[in-house]
Structure formats: C-alpha cells, structure tokens
Amino acid sequence: MAAAGGSGIGDHGAHGASGQLESVLFDTSVPWARRYRLAATIEMKLLVHLAAPAVVVYMLNYVMSMSTQIFSGHLGNLELAAASLGNTGIQVFAYGLMLGMGSAVETLCGQAYGANKYDMLGVYLQRSMFLLMLTGVPLAVMYAYSRPILILLGESEEIAGAASVFVYGLIPQIFAYAANFPIQKFLQAQSIMAPSAYISTATIGAHLLLSWVVIYKLGWGLLGASLVLSLSWWVTVAGQFLYILLSPRCRYTWTGFTTEAFTGLPEFFRLSAASAVMLCLETWYFQILVLIAGLLENPELALDSLSVCMTISGWVYMISVGFNAAASVRVSNELGAGNPRAAQFSVLAVTTVSIVITLIIAGIILSFRDYISYLFTEGEVVAKAVSELTPLLAITLILNGIQPVLSGVAVGCGWQAFVAYVNIGCYYFVGIPSGVLLGFKFGYGAKGIWSGMIFGTFMQTLILIWVTFRTDWNKEVEAAMKRLDKWGEKSRPLLADQY
C-alpha cells in the first residue's frame, strides 16, 4: 500500500483519515471530550489539506482578472471603464453560470468517490464538459453582440464600443471555463487540490509578463489584454488535464474518453441547471447593489466607496469560497462512503473555522476603517464614506464566513434546487426591495441599500443553518446511494492492495 499522496487513488491519506473519523465518532467507550478532540484533529488535517490550495486557486483566478483590468486601466480612463464593464459585468455572468453548472460534478464525483465507484468520476467529468461546452455557444453569441446589448442597457456608445472589443477577446475564455470547472471539481472530489494551486501560481507569473508584452510592447490594447487572459485560462486547463492524464493518482478515476458520457444527460443537466441558478443568484446579488447605487443622487461618491468595500469583500470572499470547496468535498465524500456522523462533524468543523477566520478579518478591517480606502484612492471624502460603510462591510464578511460554507454543504448533499429557491426568496423578494426602500424612500443612500441586502443574506443564512441543523444525515447517506444508482453507475470495488 502506497503512502498518502503516492500512486494511489486520489489521496489515500484522506480516504484513511475519513474512515478513521467515523470510527472515532462511533467509539462510545472513549469519553466524549477526548473523542471530539481527536475527531477535531483528524478533521482539521483534512480541511487544511483541502481548503488552503482551494483558497490559493480562487485568489489567483481573481488576481488574473484584476491584473488584466489594471493593465487596461493604464491605457486610459476609457479603457479602464471598458475592461471594468467587461470583467465585472459580462464576464461575471459567464463565470457564475459555468462555475455553478460545474458544481454538479462536485456533488456526483464526491459521492461516487466516497462510494468507491471510481470509474464514474471520469464519466461525470466528460458529461459536464460536454454540457458546459454546449452552454458556451449561446454565451459566445451574447459576447459577439455585446455592443448593442450594452447600448440597450444604457451605456454610452463610446464605452459600449470599447467594452465590446475587450469582450471579443474573452470568447475563448468561455470554453476554457467549460473545461476548467469540471476538471477542477473532478480533482477536488479526490482531495487532489495542490496541483491546481501550483499550476495557477505558474500561470499567473506568465500571464503578467505576457500581458505587459502584448499590451505595451506590441500595442494590441484592449483586445490583446483579453486575449492574453483567455490564453492564460486555457494554459491552466491544459496543465490540469495533463496532470490527470499523467498522474498515477488519477489512473482509476480517468480511464479515457467514453460514449457513456453522452447517456443520462437530461438528469445531469437538471442538476447542473439548479447548481447554476443557485450560484448565479448569489453572484449577481451584490452586483445589483452596485447598479442600484448608481441611481442615487450622488452616484460617483456612492460607487467609489462601494467599489472599495466590494473589492475588499471580494478578496475575503475567496477565502470563504475555498472553504466552500472543502465543505463540499468533505460532505460528499462522507455521504458516498456511508459515514453520516463524519459528514455532520465535517459541517460543524469547517463552519467554525471559517467563522473564526472571518471574525478576525472583520475585526482588523474595523480597526483600520479610517485608513483602508487609501489603499485604493487618496480622496478624503471617499475615505470618510468608506469609514461609514465599514461596519456593514464587517457584517457582510461575517455572514460570508457562514453562508458560502453552508452552500458548499448544500452542493455536497445535492440540495442545489432547494437553495436556489431560498436564494430567490431571500435575495430578490426580501433583500433588494428592502435595500431600495431604505436607500431611496427613507433616504439612507448606499448604507440603506446595503443594509437591506444584508438583511436578505442574513435571512438566507438563518434558513441554511436551520436546514443543516435539522438534517437527518442517515437519510442523506441513503439519498446519496439512490442518486448514484439512479444513473446506472457501475461500481468497481478496488482491493486495498491496489492502492
């Protein structure tokens, strides 16, 4: 039997620790305090192994897009506006849609891996890539017609024209998303996280250098900037897929291309669509905050102060997204392996760790509330506005320490459709109307809009906590088994000596 991280299936150390966790939690002969201390030690090792590389990957993805925006901004104000609109408007839509649809792989691969149905992981990967590539076609058409769409939405012809040039170069990125997210989730389900972090780290260095050469030395401008960004995403995809082909850790989960990937597509699409709706509703929520703030009496100050706060929130959110991935992997693996107590304990552990980290960060930001805006701008008026918004930012960060993790639990359990309905109700029927009412009717401006939307997030978080707390984890194990059997998966148990 190979050592953990060797040539075994996925990460044998993670598999072994997972089974050990269930045994520890079931061992009533040991005092409960000692039992839970030991369980916490085991779970923390698994979490660090999963969450740390995931945080790095999502952070670097964020940096890659932001660096392209910064490079474009040095070309001029028009170029900055165009790149910002392309990045935070159109690209965010495609990113959320593709990442959401990709999380169906997270549910199914995680549960199949826990159930030792290793050959199905490759089938799920191919099904997801096929569906996402098809989804990319209408998105590419939307990108191609971005100029008239932006003008229809009220943008000036000059900005819409410049933004459309930037967006044209992002068309290849759509199909990179379609390959990247399923591959990423396929690896995550096996607790293989570090290779993606190494590949992303290497890619960001090459991306920065190539962007500088193409934009400033070759003079390709906005189109060059977005084409380099698309190329960098494809380099990441190629690196990860090459790892799958060559690594002995994937030799049982990737057995080559198969026509079986084209079966069961309608059911797979329904789960993918529910996942996409769930994530898109979350992604768009705070984008709407920025759009609404632009309708205030002093929109420039409101947008400047909110953009500072949203940038900070975006960085910290990447940490929560890393824990989201860890929660999803841990829960889906344990449910697939038939370990209800371990799944329940994993939820408690990852949520606690995420909350503690975000509480610390929120405390630091509150301590420096009068100074944080100077990292972005030198204006004293903006600094004062940001200082006034910082308490709301702190509350948002704390909620973001809970909500994304519980969304990860939902993905691990396959509750995407339920969470999508919760998101619609809390975000769009409570949060946004409350924000508009406080911001405009009662005259609280940006603070009122944000407060109302925080209320929607708070409601959603409470519902997710309540549902998670009331979950019968034995029934979730049964549901995972039924889900795996529903699409006719073939189990191929592997003997211990095959590790």
Side-chain angles (χ1 to χ4, degrees):
M1 188 177 292
S7 61
I9 302 166
D11 191 323
H12 181 47
H15 247 325
S18 173
Q20 185 186 4
L21 177 60
E22 186 76 6
S23 300
V24 166
L25 292 169
F26 260 110
D27 189 1
T28 54
S29 64
V30 178
W32 71 268
R34 184 182 172 193
R35 188 162 74 243
Y36 279 92
R37 275 201 307 270
L38 181 56
T41 302
I42 295 168
E43 184 63 30
M44 285 304 299
K45 288 180 181 177
L46 291 168
L47 280 182
V48 170
H49 174 77
L50 291 169
V55 170
V56 169
V57 169
Y58 287 111
M59 279 281 193
L60 290 176
N61 288 347
Y62 192 77
V63 167
M64 202 151 65
S65 290
M66 287 302 101
S67 65
T68 297
Q69 194 167 312
I70 291 167
F71 275 123
S72 300
H74 285 288
L75 293 172
N77 291 335
L78 176 63
E79 287 80 0
L80 175 59
S84 299
L85 191 58
N87 253 338
T88 59
I90 294 174
Q91 186 204 27
V92 164
F93 173 77
Y95 182 91
L97 184 65
M98 291 296 191
L99 179 59
M101 290 187 72
S103 74
V105 180
E106 207 166 354
T107 302
L108 297 170
C109 281
Q111 292 182 359
Y113 185 71
N116 295 340
K117 298 185 178 183
Y118 302 115
D119 53 338
M120 287 310 301
L121 272 75
V123 176
Y124 289 142
L125 169 61
Q126 292 170 63
R127 279 181 192 168
S128 184
M129 286 178 64
F130 177 70
L131 283 174
L132 265 66
M133 288 289 180
L134 287 180
T135 305
V137 175
L139 283 177
V141 173
M142 185 188 81
Y143 275 37
Y145 287 93
S146 57
R147 184 177 183 276
I149 290 172
L150 289 171
I151 291 173
L152 187 65
L153 292 174
E155 297 295 336
S156 69
E157 289 200 15
E158 187 180 23
I159 291 178
S164 65
V165 171
F166 183 83
V167 169
Y168 294 154
L170 295 180
I171 290 175
Q173 185 192 50
I174 298 171
F175 300 98
Y177 284 164
N180 177 76
F181 294 128
I183 288 173
Q184 206 173 69
K185 304 305 181 184
F186 168 86
L187 291 171
Q188 285 178 8
Q190 304 169 69
S191 300
I192 302 174
M193 312 288 273
S196 293
Y198 296 142
I199 291 165
S200 295
T201 303
T203 303
I204 190 68
H207 172 77
L208 293 173
L209 178 60
L210 191 57
S211 294
W212 178 75
V213 170
V214 168
I215 297 170
Y216 300 132
K217 297 300 178 182
L218 298 181
W220 287 13
L222 283 173
L223 182 62
S226 54
L227 283 173
V228 170
L229 183 58
S230 294
L231 175 63
S232 297
W233 272 93
W234 271 109
V235 169
T236 301
V237 169
Q240 290 179 126
F241 191 64
L242 196 61
Y243 176 85
I244 291 171
L245 293 178
L246 300 178
S247 173
R249 297 173 70 184
C250 298
R251 70 176 183 271
Y252 296 112
T253 52
W254 176 264
T255 54
F257 292 99
T258 172
T259 55
E260 194 177 353
F262 300 101
T263 61
L265 289 175
E267 296 91 343
F268 200 93
F269 176 76
R270 278 196 287 272
L271 183 60
S272 297
S275 303
V277 171
M278 184 190 87
L279 195 78
C280 283
L281 290 174
E282 294 177 8
T283 304
W284 298 336
Y285 188 50
F286 281 98
Q287 296 297 322
I288 291 172
L289 165 63
V290 176
L291 291 175
I292 296 173
L295 303 175
L296 291 168
E297 288 184 7
N298 188 354
E300 186 176 343
L301 178 61
L303 290 173
D304 284 347
S305 56
L306 278 173
S307 66
V308 170
C309 292
M310 288 296 103
T311 301
I312 295 169
S313 178
W315 279 101
V316 179
Y317 188 73
M318 292 301 108
I319 298 173
S320 299
V321 169
F323 280 101
N324 169 293
S328 176
V329 172
R330 292 291 300 117
V331 171
S332 60
N333 280 180
E334 296 295 358
L335 292 178
N339 298 333
R341 290 196 183 187
Q344 185 178 25
F345 189 83
S346 295
V347 172
L348 178 64
V350 70
T351 306
T352 301
V353 172
S354 182
I355 290 172
V356 169
I357 291 174
T358 48
L359 278 171
I360 293 169
I361 295 172
I364 292 170
I365 287 173
L366 280 173
S367 299
F368 293 95
R369 59 187 293 181
D370 294 328
Y371 310 103
I372 54 174
S373 72
Y374 292 110
L375 295 171
F376 305 90
T377 179
E378 295 180 359
E380 290 185 17
V381 177
V382 174
K384 185 179 178 182
V386 170
S387 180
E388 291 176 357
L389 288 175
T390 302
L392 297 177
L393 173 61
I395 295 170
T396 300
L397 295 181
I398 293 167
L399 288 175
N400 283 347
I402 306 171
Q403 181 269 332
V405 174
L406 296 181
S407 292
V409 173
V411 170
C413 295
W415 299 340
Q416 287 96 323
F418 167 75
V419 177
Y421 288 122
V422 172
N423 287 355
I424 291 172
C426 293
Y427 288 166
Y428 296 90
F429 287 97
V430 176
I432 292 174
S434 299
V436 170
L437 196 64
L438 290 169
F440 293 93
K441 178 69 174 176
F442 292 97
Y444 288 107
K447 286 189 287 186
I449 296 170
W450 198 349
S451 297
M453 298 182 79
I454 284 175
F455 180 58
T457 307
F458 180 69
M459 273 192 64
Q460 185 235 26
T461 303
L462 283 182
I463 292 171
L464 290 180
I465 290 172
W466 180 75
V467 170
T468 305
F469 179 76
R470 289 176 54 86
T471 296
D472 184 332
W473 292 99
N474 289 306
K475 287 185 178 179
E476 288 302 320
V477 168
E478 293 174 11
M481 295 301 105
K482 287 178 183 177
R483 186 178 293 112
L484 291 173
D485 291 337
K486 181 179 179 181
W487 289 309
E489 288 87 347
K490 298 176 290 183
S491 177
R492 184 171 59 190
L494 302 174
L495 300 176
D497 61 2
Q498 289 178 298
Y499 283 85

